[in-house]
Amino acid sequence: MIESPVTTDEAMLFLRVDGGADSAEYSLVESLVSAATDYASTVTRRKFLTETVTETFDNFPAVIRPRFSPLVSITSIAYTDSGNAPQTLAATAYDADTTMQPGRVFLKYNQTWPDSLGIQNAVTLTYTAGYGATANLVPEGLKTAIKMLVSHWYEHRETAAEKQLMTIPLAVESLLWQHRIPEIG
């Protein structure tokens, strides 16, 4: 479960649910906050609070573009070499551009990617992404979109409203679209 920049108490306040809500109601809102955060993160390709992410690739691309932004740092690049042995690429061989969004990892001058074994998931990138450790660093539009989505799901949680659950309100989509990182190549 990813950590949300919106607390359950903030969502309850946004929903105008008074402090007298029972534990079942609180648990429901808590789960909706988690689901809305996951949805917003997936749509925007962003991590909100700093977290470690692991991605795999079948081989080394010319430039590695981590899926999630904002890229903070690279923890490691591990791979299975052509002899089927696990290796970790020396940090001196590559550099990370954390100013671009999406971020990117590229070789330093006069370096080459090593040969990896021709198997699925031969290369593993571990990195840190997110705006920081506290929610006040996350753009307000993203936090508002999460709260609005929680509100929509909370108001339409009955089975008869199944179609409404599948439709994301345009206001939420608009807020998320402003922060969406396009997929490159």
Side-chain angles (χ1 to χ4, degrees), residues 162-178:
E162 210 170 282
K163 183 175 178 170
Q164 290 174 327
L165 279 174
M166 291 185 277
T167 305
I168 302 300
L170 183 57
V172 172
E173 289 294 344
S174 296
L175 285 169
L176 295 178
W177 185 259
Q178 294 175 43

Side-chain angles (χ1 to χ4, degrees), residues 55-57 59-67 71 74 76-78 89 94-97 102-107 113 123-127:
E55 292 181 33
T56 59
F57 306 90
N59 52 40
F60 284 102
V63 174
I64 300 173
R65 288 185 168 75
R67 176 163 174 72
L71 177 62
I74 303 301
S76 68
I77 301 175
L89 188 62
Y94 60 88
D95 210 348
D97 180 354
R104 58 193 178 141
V105 182
F106 53 91
L107 288 168
W113 294 117
V123 179
T124 301
L125 172 69
T126 304
Y127 63 98

Side-chain angles (χ1 to χ4, degrees), residues 79-87 115-120 122:
Y79 64 100
T80 304
D81 70 16
S82 55
N84 201 23
Q87 303 289 336
D115 289 333
S116 60
L117 189 63
I119 59 171
Q120 291 180 336

